Amino acid sequence: MSKSQRIAYACGACGLRVPKWVGQCPDCGEWGSMEESAAPPRQTGGGGIASALPAARRPAKPAMRIGTVSAAQAASLPTGIGEFDRVMGGGLVPGGVTLISGEPGVGKSTLLLEVAHRFGEAGYGKALVATGEESASQVRRRADRTGCLSEELYLAAETDLGAVLGHVEDVKPSLLILDSVQTVIAPDTDGVPGGVTQVKAVASAITAEAKSRNMAVILVGHVTKDGGIAGPRALEHLVDTVVHFEGDRHSMLRLLRGVKNRFGPADEVGCFEMTEDGIVSLADPSGLFLDDAPTEPTPGTCVTVTMEGRRAVPVEVQALLGKSVKDGAIPRHTVSGLDQARLNMVLAVLTRRGGMRLLDREVYATTIGGIRVREPASDLALALALVSADQEIAVSADLVAIGEVSLTGQVRRTVNADRRIGEAARLGFKTAIVPKGSVAERHRGIEVVEVETIIDAKQAAARTWARRG
């Protein structure tokens, strides 16, 4: 085997190259991620590093003073899908490349078909959807169902990179959607389809085409078992924007979460609802995460306000306590939409600091609407829901609880407390229990009760409880 045909191995997670196969990547620690890949030829000659440097040549355009460079070409083009534009920083940028990932069946293709349809309808130019996942007839059936039949929307079912670039040359679109980058093959590049070398080659070629044509591009990426983007980390560095489309396939809620954005904030979150007719933006998703008002107050529920990106969202936390288990048995603690570790911690704090006996009881805790709450600011609402369930006393329906519970029983401050309280006041809540010293503004229409410990929070909530009749 010649030197130019040497075999090396590359990590499918981080792209690290090693001369021999190993079970675990030395760089990122991923197991079983090493794939066979052609190694680059060694440099020959006595020139060392200098011999590998390219010769200087005259640039096509001279360097310009930054003040004379026009920023008009980087202006965002709104698609008319409010939540999508919110996450993207105002819309799609000509020449910008976006990578969107998500689990199979979450609705990525449906969302992007709607984006392409709206883009063409807005008069920005042609939109081309190149799909390697489905046939053209399958995409057409989805377009019929969702009403995405714009005259400016073009469709091609291709898995060959050269064919995709040929369609780009013929159609000359202003927007290209490639679904997905792992299914497209670069024939002149070594490696298996979806491998490190192939994915980098396809993404690099599409990115270069986007910059040269000033064409907006959206790449769909597969995800790993852990929910991360499959392929090398270099793929995320090649693109301008990285977003994750997530949600439980058994729930109507979908979240588009920004991870990286060169044209806007990288911490925005867009909310969507999956319907039979497609995906619909939810400008005010609060109703999805609050249970319908019952005929009478129900023990075991409490509302908190969580931050999804820059958006404050009220979420109802529900808890149910079972009977105490026999000595030696392990009680079942089950969560849905909450962090299992934080539930166990709150139970321990209520037992040790709150004078309650909960660790030997079966506990079930959940959130409404399928939203996942992982931040510590929901600890206080979870604790009050558990107290309410234990004492069979319902928390007032117009009360929200915001705060992190520490192991010492203290209620600690959380970020964006004023924004959370303001959202609760806008929705008609009358009382907010928050950590002491966390409020910097005065809020109309809502009473703010500051507490220091979990005992103080229990006493403050007890003043608003309504005993079941």
Side-chain angles (χ1 to χ4, degrees):
M1 181 178 293
S2 65
K3 292 182 177 180
S4 61
Q5 296 175 327
R6 290 181 300 110
I7 298 299
Y9 294 88
C11 175
C14 66
L16 177 70
R17 287 179 176 271
V18 293
K20 296 182 179 180
W21 185 89
V22 291
Q24 183 182 28
C25 175
D27 190 15
C28 66
E30 189 74 14
W31 285 93
S33 61
M34 288 297 173
E35 301 175 356
E36 187 175 300
S37 175
R42 295 178 178 175
Q43 298 291 337
T44 57
I49 296 178
S51 64
L53 295 177
R57 60 182 179 86
R58 191 70 180 172
K61 293 182 180 180
M64 302 171 63
R65 291 187 177 92
I66 190 170
T68 63
V69 177
S70 174
Q73 292 184 347
S76 299
L77 303 177
T79 64
I81 305 176
E83 294 299 287
F84 180 83
D85 294 340
R86 176 192 184 106
V87 177
M88 297 299 295
L92 295 173
V93 176
V97 181
T98 299
L99 176 63
I100 180 172
S101 66
E103 295 182 357
V106 75
K108 301 185 299 296
S109 300
T110 303
L111 173 63
L112 295 182
L113 188 63
E114 179 72 19
V115 169
H117 168 71
R118 294 288 190 94
F119 189 90
E121 289 290 295
Y124 299 134
K126 301 174 182 178
L128 173 62
V129 177
T131 174
E133 301 276 357
E134 303 172 289
S135 65
S137 59
Q138 287 176 307
V139 180
R140 170 57 196 270
R141 287 175 61 88
R142 182 184 296 113
D144 289 335
R145 177 171 55 85
T146 58
C148 298
L149 295 174
S150 171
E151 291 293 330
E152 298 298 316
L153 176 56
Y154 290 75
L155 176 64
E158 297 288 354
T159 57
D160 182 86
L161 177 61
V164 172
L165 296 178
H167 285 297
V168 171
E169 179 65 31
D170 295 338
V171 178
K172 295 180 173 55
S174 298
L175 170 63
L176 170 64
I177 296 176
L178 187 61
D179 187 6
S180 66
V181 67
Q182 278 89 359
T183 58
V184 178
I185 304 171
D188 298 332
T189 304
D190 295 329
V192 297
V196 175
T197 308
Q198 283 284 331
V199 169
K200 290 178 66 175
V202 172
S204 298
I206 296 297
T207 300
E209 195 74 10
K211 304 302 181 184
S212 64
R213 293 178 176 271
N214 203 33
M215 172 183 62
V217 171
I218 301 178
L219 304 176
V220 179
H222 293 169
V223 296
T224 62
K225 294 180 180 179
D226 298 330
I229 300 176
R233 296 289 297 182
L235 182 61
E236 299 183 39
H237 297 294
L238 285 174
V239 302
D240 302 301
T241 306
V242 179
V243 295
H244 292 307
F245 198 49
E246 59 189 43
D248 187 349
R249 65 177 59 187
H250 303 294
S251 170
M252 298 183 297
L253 176 67
R254 299 291 186 270
L255 297 179
L256 184 65
R257 192 181 303 275
V259 177
K260 168 188 173 182
N261 195 343
R262 291 174 178 165
F263 309 116
D267 59 349
E268 279 287 7
V269 174
C271 297
F272 299 85
E273 183 179 10
M274 178 68 77
T275 67
E276 295 182 357
D277 298 328
I279 294 180
V280 180
S281 293
L282 293 176
D284 188 4
S286 303
L288 285 178
F289 314 128
L290 298 176
D291 204 358
D292 295 335
T295 56
E296 61 179 3
T298 305
T301 66
C302 187
V303 178
T304 187
V305 182
T306 184
M307 295 300 299
E308 288 292 342
R310 297 186 175 185
R311 170 180 285 168
V313 179
V315 178
E316 182 172 320
V317 180
Q318 297 184 346
L320 179 65
L321 297 177
K323 296 181 179 180
S324 299
V325 299
K326 298 180 180 179
D327 294 339
I330 300 176
R332 177 180 300 177
H333 295 167
T334 304
V335 298
S336 176
L338 294 167
D339 188 355
Q340 180 76 58
R342 300 210 71 83
L343 170 64
N344 294 335
M345 187 201 72
V346 171
L347 289 172
V349 171
L350 289 174
T351 300
R352 183 67 177 86
R353 309 295 181 186
M356 303 175 64
R357 185 178 178 180
L358 299 176
L359 291 179
D360 61 344
R361 301 182 63 178
E362 292 187 343
V363 180
Y364 304 89
T366 185
T367 58
I368 295 297
I371 190 171
R372 298 177 182 177
V373 179
R374 296 290 186 265
E375 63 171 351
S378 63
D379 289 351
L380 188 56
L382 176 58
L384 293 182
L386 290 168
V387 174
S388 171
D390 178 64
Q391 300 185 7
E392 285 293 323
I393 300 176
V395 176
S396 176
D398 58 5
L399 179 143
V400 296
I402 305 165
E404 176 185 356
V405 176
S406 69
L407 293 178
T408 61
Q410 301 291 318
V411 181
R412 301 176 61 87
R413 300 180 186 179
T414 59
V415 297
N416 298 315
D418 287 298
R419 185 177 298 180
R420 299 172 196 259
I421 296 173
E423 178 65 14
R426 185 185 72 84
L427 294 173
F429 289 91
K430 301 300 182 183
T431 307
I433 301 179
V434 300
K436 187 175 182 179
S438 61
V439 181
E441 303 176 8
R442 299 185 64 181
H443 300 273
R444 294 183 178 180
I446 187 170
E447 178 187 2
V448 179
V449 181
E450 297 185 340
V451 297
E452 292 186 359
T453 66
I454 190 67
I455 299 297
D456 297 339
K458 289 172 56 179
Q459 294 174 352
R463 291 194 292 268
T464 65
W465 287 355
R467 190 173 298 276
R468 298 172 65 185

